[in-house]
Amino acid sequence: MPQLLTTDRLLLRDWEPDDAEAALAVFGDANVARWLTPALTRPADAEEMRAHLERWAAEQPKLDPPFGRWALVRLEDDRVIGGMELRPLPPHNEDVEIGWQLAPGFWGHGYATEAARGLAGWAFSQATDEVFAVVRPGNERATAVATRIGMQWVGETDKYYDLVLQAYRLRPSDLAESAPAR
């Protein structure tokens, strides 16, 4: 299984159909899914989730870097705890969206921040000038992650997904400034 990157505690790798149960714990959870629509509807069961994973796996080799969807795996126990993505934002595919989703049982441990910081750094190494997170109003967890990785709020917009969303932008210099002390 191709691996994209490793952080201190996490691994980003391609999704596999056998990840369906773990992925369902993320994308099938009402507390996660409510923030994802219309980009992804809540899967009803493991078979529907498997169909999404199979589609993502088939699309992955056709995507030009930095675009893709990856499983987020905790290194200590090789457990899939979430997903990450970089994709073109509709309607014109001019902007790059970074997204993160974690199963609720893994919230509050800094995993999303660590993974988003790593994925953004990788995107910048692929000649990406900036990445955007678009957040539904009220999604305080996503806003907190965006802020922790150094994203700058650029305002509300209805440009993407025909929804009013909060837009956050990250450039390489912002990421460097937000890096945790070692």
mmCIF file of all heavy atoms in Angstrom, residues 144-170:
data_model
loop_
_atom_site.group_PDB
_atom_site.id
_atom_site.type_symbol
_atom_site.label_atom_id
_atom_site.label_comp_id
_atom_site.label_asym_id
_atom_site.label_seq_id
_atom_site.Cartn_x
_atom_site.Cartn_y
_atom_site.Cartn_z
ATOM 1 N N ALA A 144 -10.556 25.468 14.780
ATOM 2 C CA ALA A 144 -9.413 25.399 15.701
ATOM 3 C C ALA A 144 -8.208 24.746 15.032
ATOM 4 O O ALA A 144 -7.073 25.218 15.187
ATOM 5 C CB ALA A 144 -9.803 24.639 16.964
ATOM 6 N N VAL A 145 -8.424 23.678 14.267
ATOM 7 C CA VAL A 145 -7.309 23.027 13.569
ATOM 8 C C VAL A 145 -6.714 23.987 12.545
ATOM 9 O O VAL A 145 -5.491 24.141 12.460
ATOM 10 C CB VAL A 145 -7.753 21.710 12.900
ATOM 11 C CG1 VAL A 145 -6.662 21.164 11.984
ATOM 12 C CG2 VAL A 145 -8.128 20.672 13.948
ATOM 13 N N ALA A 146 -7.565 24.627 11.766
ATOM 14 C CA ALA A 146 -7.080 25.576 10.765
ATOM 15 C C ALA A 146 -6.203 26.644 11.411
ATOM 16 O O ALA A 146 -5.110 26.970 10.916
ATOM 17 C CB ALA A 146 -8.251 26.213 10.020
ATOM 18 N N THR A 147 -6.652 27.168 12.519
ATOM 19 C CA THR A 147 -5.899 28.209 13.221
ATOM 20 C C THR A 147 -4.580 27.667 13.768
ATOM 21 O O THR A 147 -3.537 28.313 13.654
ATOM 22 C CB THR A 147 -6.759 28.793 14.356
ATOM 23 O OG1 THR A 147 -7.968 29.312 13.776
ATOM 24 C CG2 THR A 147 -6.036 29.901 15.076
ATOM 25 N N ARG A 148 -4.606 26.467 14.347
ATOM 26 C CA ARG A 148 -3.384 25.893 14.930
ATOM 27 C C ARG A 148 -2.304 25.631 13.899
ATOM 28 O O ARG A 148 -1.125 25.685 14.216
ATOM 29 C CB ARG A 148 -3.705 24.609 15.693
ATOM 30 C CG ARG A 148 -4.264 24.861 17.073
ATOM 31 C CD ARG A 148 -4.265 23.614 17.933
ATOM 32 N NE ARG A 148 -5.124 22.563 17.424
ATOM 33 C CZ ARG A 148 -6.421 22.425 17.712
ATOM 34 N NH1 ARG A 148 -7.014 23.284 18.511
ATOM 35 N NH2 ARG A 148 -7.106 21.425 17.215
ATOM 36 N N ILE A 149 -2.690 25.323 12.653
ATOM 37 C CA ILE A 149 -1.648 25.078 11.645
ATOM 38 C C ILE A 149 -1.206 26.364 10.950
ATOM 39 O O ILE A 149 -0.360 26.329 10.070
ATOM 40 C CB ILE A 149 -2.045 23.997 10.615
ATOM 41 C CG1 ILE A 149 -3.206 24.426 9.733
ATOM 42 C CG2 ILE A 149 -2.316 22.683 11.315
ATOM 43 C CD1 ILE A 149 -3.475 23.494 8.570
ATOM 44 N N GLY A 150 -1.777 27.495 11.369
ATOM 45 C CA GLY A 150 -1.337 28.782 10.836
ATOM 46 C C GLY A 150 -2.199 29.351 9.726
ATOM 47 O O GLY A 150 -1.840 30.359 9.112
ATOM 48 N N MET A 151 -3.348 28.739 9.466
ATOM 49 C CA MET A 151 -4.222 29.249 8.407
ATOM 50 C C MET A 151 -4.783 30.606 8.810
ATOM 51 O O MET A 151 -5.078 30.848 9.984
ATOM 52 C CB MET A 151 -5.356 28.269 8.106
ATOM 53 C CG MET A 151 -4.871 26.946 7.569
ATOM 54 S SD MET A 151 -6.208 25.876 6.996
ATOM 55 C CE MET A 151 -5.987 26.091 5.219
ATOM 56 N N GLN A 152 -4.934 31.456 7.815
ATOM 57 C CA GLN A 152 -5.484 32.799 8.000
ATOM 58 C C GLN A 152 -6.932 32.823 7.506
ATOM 59 O O GLN A 152 -7.217 32.347 6.400
ATOM 60 C CB GLN A 152 -4.655 33.825 7.216
ATOM 61 C CG GLN A 152 -3.177 33.812 7.547
ATOM 62 C CD GLN A 152 -2.912 34.154 8.989
ATOM 63 O OE1 GLN A 152 -3.427 35.140 9.509
ATOM 64 N NE2 GLN A 152 -2.111 33.335 9.656
ATOM 65 N N TRP A 153 -7.817 33.385 8.318
ATOM 66 C CA TRP A 153 -9.206 33.522 7.909
ATOM 67 C C TRP A 153 -9.261 34.580 6.817
ATOM 68 O O TRP A 153 -8.725 35.679 6.969
ATOM 69 C CB TRP A 153 -10.060 33.933 9.103
ATOM 70 C CG TRP A 153 -11.527 33.981 8.801
ATOM 71 C CD1 TRP A 153 -12.355 32.929 8.594
ATOM 72 C CD2 TRP A 153 -12.339 35.143 8.680
ATOM 73 N NE1 TRP A 153 -13.634 33.336 8.356
ATOM 74 C CE2 TRP A 153 -13.651 34.708 8.407
ATOM 75 C CE3 TRP A 153 -12.097 36.508 8.777
ATOM 76 C CZ2 TRP A 153 -14.715 35.591 8.221
ATOM 77 C CZ3 TRP A 153 -13.162 37.373 8.596
ATOM 78 C CH2 TRP A 153 -14.453 36.915 8.324
ATOM 79 N N VAL A 154 -9.902 34.242 5.701
ATOM 80 C CA VAL A 154 -10.003 35.204 4.600
ATOM 81 C C VAL A 154 -11.435 35.665 4.365
ATOM 82 O O VAL A 154 -11.665 36.500 3.505
ATOM 83 C CB VAL A 154 -9.375 34.656 3.289
ATOM 84 C CG1 VAL A 154 -7.877 34.531 3.442
ATOM 85 C CG2 VAL A 154 -9.986 33.353 2.854
ATOM 86 N N GLY A 155 -12.376 35.138 5.137
ATOM 87 C CA GLY A 155 -13.739 35.623 5.053
ATOM 88 C C GLY A 155 -14.757 34.547 4.742
ATOM 89 O O GLY A 155 -14.428 33.378 4.581
ATOM 90 N N GLU A 156 -16.006 34.987 4.671
ATOM 91 C CA GLU A 156 -17.084 34.090 4.282
ATOM 92 C C GLU A 156 -17.243 34.148 2.776
ATOM 93 O O GLU A 156 -17.056 35.190 2.157
ATOM 94 C CB GLU A 156 -18.404 34.503 4.935
ATOM 95 C CG GLU A 156 -18.506 34.109 6.364
ATOM 96 C CD GLU A 156 -19.910 34.300 6.911
ATOM 97 O OE1 GLU A 156 -20.765 34.931 6.251
ATOM 98 O OE2 GLU A 156 -20.142 33.819 8.013
ATOM 99 N N THR A 157 -17.609 33.014 2.208
ATOM 100 C CA THR A 157 -17.805 32.951 0.770
ATOM 101 C C THR A 157 -18.885 31.939 0.433
ATOM 102 O O THR A 157 -19.088 30.979 1.174
ATOM 103 C CB THR A 157 -16.490 32.575 0.042
ATOM 104 O OG1 THR A 157 -16.717 32.591 -1.369
ATOM 105 C CG2 THR A 157 -15.974 31.204 0.459
ATOM 106 N N ASP A 158 -19.553 32.177 -0.699
ATOM 107 C CA ASP A 158 -20.465 31.172 -1.232
ATOM 108 C C ASP A 158 -19.935 30.637 -2.566
ATOM 109 O O ASP A 158 -20.651 30.024 -3.334
ATOM 110 C CB ASP A 158 -21.882 31.729 -1.385
ATOM 111 C CG ASP A 158 -21.950 32.910 -2.340
ATOM 112 O OD1 ASP A 158 -20.913 33.329 -2.897
ATOM 113 O OD2 ASP A 158 -23.075 33.433 -2.526
ATOM 114 N N LYS A 159 -18.643 30.851 -2.800
ATOM 115 C CA LYS A 159 -17.992 30.428 -4.037
ATOM 116 C C LYS A 159 -17.946 28.905 -4.176
ATOM 117 O O LYS A 159 -18.033 28.377 -5.277
ATOM 118 C CB LYS A 159 -16.566 31.001 -4.060
ATOM 119 C CG LYS A 159 -15.735 30.602 -5.257
ATOM 120 C CD LYS A 159 -14.355 31.241 -5.168
ATOM 121 C CE LYS A 159 -13.468 30.813 -6.323
ATOM 122 N NZ LYS A 159 -12.126 31.410 -6.218
ATOM 123 N N TYR A 160 -17.786 28.202 -3.059
ATOM 124 C CA TYR A 160 -17.584 26.760 -3.097
ATOM 125 C C TYR A 160 -18.833 26.013 -2.633
ATOM 126 O O TYR A 160 -19.447 26.360 -1.629
ATOM 127 C CB TYR A 160 -16.418 26.361 -2.190
ATOM 128 C CG TYR A 160 -15.164 27.175 -2.405
ATOM 129 C CD1 TYR A 160 -14.688 28.020 -1.409
ATOM 130 C CD2 TYR A 160 -14.453 27.103 -3.594
ATOM 131 C CE1 TYR A 160 -13.522 28.758 -1.593
ATOM 132 C CE2 TYR A 160 -13.298 27.837 -3.784
ATOM 133 C CZ TYR A 160 -12.836 28.667 -2.786
ATOM 134 O OH TYR A 160 -11.698 29.402 -2.969
ATOM 135 N N TYR A 161 -19.201 24.981 -3.359
ATOM 136 C CA TYR A 161 -20.283 24.066 -2.975
ATOM 137 C C TYR A 161 -21.650 24.726 -2.839
ATOM 138 O O TYR A 161 -22.559 24.144 -2.243
ATOM 139 C CB TYR A 161 -19.944 23.344 -1.660
ATOM 140 C CG TYR A 161 -18.646 22.574 -1.701
ATOM 141 C CD1 TYR A 161 -17.544 22.991 -0.948
ATOM 142 C CD2 TYR A 161 -18.507 21.439 -2.495
ATOM 143 C CE1 TYR A 161 -16.341 22.296 -0.978
ATOM 144 C CE2 TYR A 161 -17.311 20.733 -2.529
ATOM 145 C CZ TYR A 161 -16.236 21.168 -1.763
ATOM 146 O OH TYR A 161 -15.059 20.481 -1.796
ATOM 147 N N ASP A 162 -21.797 25.961 -3.317
ATOM 148 C CA ASP A 162 -23.077 26.673 -3.201
ATOM 149 C C ASP A 162 -23.545 26.784 -1.749
ATOM 150 O O ASP A 162 -24.740 26.720 -1.451
ATOM 151 C CB ASP A 162 -24.166 26.013 -4.057
ATOM 152 C CG ASP A 162 -23.859 26.115 -5.544
ATOM 153 O OD1 ASP A 162 -23.361 27.173 -5.972
ATOM 154 O OD2 ASP A 162 -24.109 25.132 -6.265
ATOM 155 N N LEU A 163 -22.594 26.929 -0.839
ATOM 156 C CA LEU A 163 -22.877 27.100 0.586
ATOM 157 C C LEU A 163 -22.125 28.318 1.097
ATOM 158 O O LEU A 163 -21.073 28.664 0.562
ATOM 159 C CB LEU A 163 -22.388 25.885 1.384
ATOM 160 C CG LEU A 163 -23.030 24.546 1.089
ATOM 161 C CD1 LEU A 163 -22.233 23.432 1.754
ATOM 162 C CD2 LEU A 163 -24.476 24.541 1.596
ATOM 163 N N VAL A 164 -22.623 28.937 2.130
ATOM 164 C CA VAL A 164 -21.871 29.995 2.797
ATOM 165 C C VAL A 164 -20.898 29.307 3.744
ATOM 166 O O VAL A 164 -21.304 28.568 4.649
ATOM 167 C CB VAL A 164 -22.796 30.961 3.560
ATOM 168 C CG1 VAL A 164 -21.977 31.971 4.350
ATOM 169 C CG2 VAL A 164 -23.728 31.668 2.584
ATOM 170 N N LEU A 165 -19.614 29.508 3.504
ATOM 171 C CA LEU A 165 -18.559 28.835 4.253
ATOM 172 C C LEU A 165 -17.512 29.830 4.724
ATOM 173 O O LEU A 165 -17.334 30.893 4.121
ATOM 174 C CB LEU A 165 -17.872 27.776 3.368
ATOM 175 C CG LEU A 165 -18.776 26.666 2.838
ATOM 176 C CD1 LEU A 165 -18.078 25.896 1.726
ATOM 177 C CD2 LEU A 165 -19.195 25.740 3.963
ATOM 178 N N GLN A 166 -16.820 29.463 5.793
ATOM 179 C CA GLN A 166 -15.679 30.233 6.271
ATOM 180 C C GLN A 166 -14.457 29.738 5.496
ATOM 181 O O GLN A 166 -14.214 28.531 5.454
ATOM 182 C CB GLN A 166 -15.459 29.990 7.767
ATOM 183 C CG GLN A 166 -16.669 30.279 8.636
ATOM 184 C CD GLN A 166 -16.963 31.760 8.706
ATOM 185 O OE1 GLN A 166 -16.063 32.569 8.870
ATOM 186 N NE2 GLN A 166 -18.227 32.117 8.573
ATOM 187 N N ALA A 167 -13.701 30.636 4.917
ATOM 188 C CA ALA A 167 -12.527 30.242 4.139
ATOM 189 C C ALA A 167 -11.259 30.602 4.910
ATOM 190 O O ALA A 167 -11.124 31.718 5.427
ATOM 191 C CB ALA A 167 -12.529 30.930 2.779
ATOM 192 N N TYR A 168 -10.348 29.639 4.961
ATOM 193 C CA TYR A 168 -9.035 29.813 5.594
ATOM 194 C C TYR A 168 -7.975 29.474 4.562
ATOM 195 O O TYR A 168 -8.122 28.514 3.810
ATOM 196 C CB TYR A 168 -8.889 28.886 6.811
ATOM 197 C CG TYR A 168 -9.802 29.250 7.940
ATOM 198 C CD1 TYR A 168 -11.121 28.803 7.962
ATOM 199 C CD2 TYR A 168 -9.349 30.052 8.975
ATOM 200 C CE1 TYR A 168 -11.972 29.158 8.996
ATOM 201 C CE2 TYR A 168 -10.202 30.408 10.015
ATOM 202 C CZ TYR A 168 -11.505 29.952 10.017
ATOM 203 O OH TYR A 168 -12.339 30.316 11.033
ATOM 204 N N ARG A 169 -6.903 30.269 4.557
ATOM 205 C CA ARG A 169 -5.821 30.072 3.582
ATOM 206 C C ARG A 169 -4.507 29.838 4.322
ATOM 207 O O ARG A 169 -4.219 30.485 5.329
ATOM 208 C CB ARG A 169 -5.693 31.295 2.684
ATOM 209 C CG ARG A 169 -4.550 31.170 1.671
ATOM 210 C CD ARG A 169 -4.371 32.409 0.821
ATOM 211 N NE ARG A 169 -4.106 33.553 1.667
ATOM 212 C CZ ARG A 169 -4.665 34.753 1.511
ATOM 213 N NH1 ARG A 169 -5.521 34.967 0.544
ATOM 214 N NH2 ARG A 169 -4.358 35.741 2.316
ATOM 215 N N LEU A 170 -3.700 28.950 3.757
ATOM 216 C CA LEU A 170 -2.377 28.671 4.308
ATOM 217 C C LEU A 170 -1.353 28.762 3.188
ATOM 218 O O LEU A 170 -1.543 28.181 2.120
ATOM 219 C CB LEU A 170 -2.340 27.261 4.918
ATOM 220 C CG LEU A 170 -1.042 26.854 5.595
ATOM 221 C CD1 LEU A 170 -0.857 27.627 6.909
ATOM 222 C CD2 LEU A 170 -1.031 25.354 5.872
#
